[in-house]
Amino acid sequence: MTAQSCPRQHCATTMDSTALEPSLYTVKAVFILDNDGNRLLSKYYDLELYPSMKEQKNFEMNVFNKTHKADNEIAFVEGMTIVYKSSIDLFFYVVGSAQENELMLMAVLNCLFESLNQMLRKNVEKRTLLDNMDGVFLVVDEIIDGGVILESDPQQVIEKVDYRADDNPLSEQSVAQVLQSAKEQIKWSILK
């Protein structure tokens, strides 16, 4: 196959060789949007990519418009490789450069989603996410630091974050604790 017939090979021969050097800085951005395309969370690790908030939101809306009705997992938008997943009323995106390994980006996306799924007790939806946003940021920071992938095992992330969505007074564990405490109080009042 010649460079003319293979677009990726042709690009590789015409691109600067330093652009293809391996790098630890794999992730360019991570963002979570609601089902209307509104930003719930975003972290951009390459500040030269979209330096202003307006440019970031325009990029996010462009990505959302091209992906929210699609049944794929990978998209190429504005020269970036994007892997994404949806759940109920949320869209999760991980962005890398055009030549980035999609499997690496997908590992980050899966780790993010599974970590949040565990942390939020399999209730990954907008309201629950917003109620636990501090934990969501901790999860993202445990997985990625400055664009470098630190962890891809959701179990390790949850252990490191040690965030409990059950601090919510209506959670199962809290209810069990209240019931146990009530039983003990009743028992002591009967014994007196």
Side-chain angles (χ1 to χ4, degrees):
M1 200 179 261
T2 67
Q4 298 290 336
S5 63
C6 179
R8 267 201 147 158
Q9 191 175 11
H10 176 69
C11 288
T13 59
T14 59
M15 291 177 77
D16 182 28
S17 62
T18 59
L20 297 176
E21 293 283 325
S23 173
L24 289 175
Y25 300 96
T26 305
V27 179
K28 301 293 183 189
V30 171
F31 51 92
I32 301 173
L33 307 178
D34 67 9
N35 57 352
D36 295 322
N38 298 316
R39 174 192 285 189
L40 302 176
L41 173 142
S42 73
K43 289 198 92 166
Y44 284 79
Y45 301 103
D46 185 351
L47 299 178
E48 294 174 5
L49 186 63
Y50 298 103
S52 73
M53 179 84 73
K54 183 179 178 182
E55 290 174 314
Q56 291 174 4
K57 286 192 171 193
N58 286 339
F59 173 68
E60 291 165 14
M61 191 51 70
N62 188 15
V63 169
F64 178 76
N65 289 334
K66 292 185 178 178
T67 60
H68 79 282
K69 291 183 181 176
D71 194 25
N72 302 320
E73 295 178 333
I74 300 173
F76 297 96
V77 179
E78 296 183 20
M80 305 307 277
T81 302
I82 301 164
V83 294
Y84 60 98
K85 178 183 279 200
S86 65
S87 171
I88 305 174
D89 56 353
L90 298 173
F91 289 85
F92 298 83
Y93 297 92
V94 176
V95 180
S97 65
Q99 61 270 13
E100 196 54 66
N101 184 335
E102 295 90 353
L103 294 175
M104 293 290 288
L105 297 176
M106 190 59 80
V108 171
L109 178 65
N110 288 334
C111 182
L112 172 63
F113 184 80
E114 290 303 320
S115 297
L116 293 176
N117 196 31
Q118 287 180 34
M119 183 184 83
L120 301 175
R121 297 175 177 258
K122 300 188 187 304
N123 192 18
V124 183
E125 62 179 4
K126 182 179 178 179
R127 182 169 175 79
T128 310
L129 187 92
L130 291 173
D131 289 343
N132 296 284
M133 194 56 90
D134 50 345
V136 175
F137 276 105
L138 289 172
V139 165
V140 171
D141 289 342
E142 278 301 322
I143 298 170
I144 309 158
D145 183 26
V148 177
I149 301 170
L150 298 178
E151 187 61 67
S152 62
D153 180 9
Q155 203 57 40
Q156 292 293 319
V157 171
I158 290 300
E159 286 176 19
K160 289 178 185 174
V161 168
D162 194 30
Y163 179 87
R164 289 179 180 80
D166 60 359
D167 289 340
N168 180 342
L170 299 176
S171 70
E172 293 172 22
Q173 186 177 12
S174 295
V175 171
Q177 289 172 343
V178 168
L179 289 175
Q180 182 64 31
S181 175
K183 283 182 186 178
E184 289 175 13
Q185 287 176 357
I186 291 170
K187 186 167 121 179
W188 283 109
S189 66
I190 293 173
L191 293 175
K192 288 184 180 180

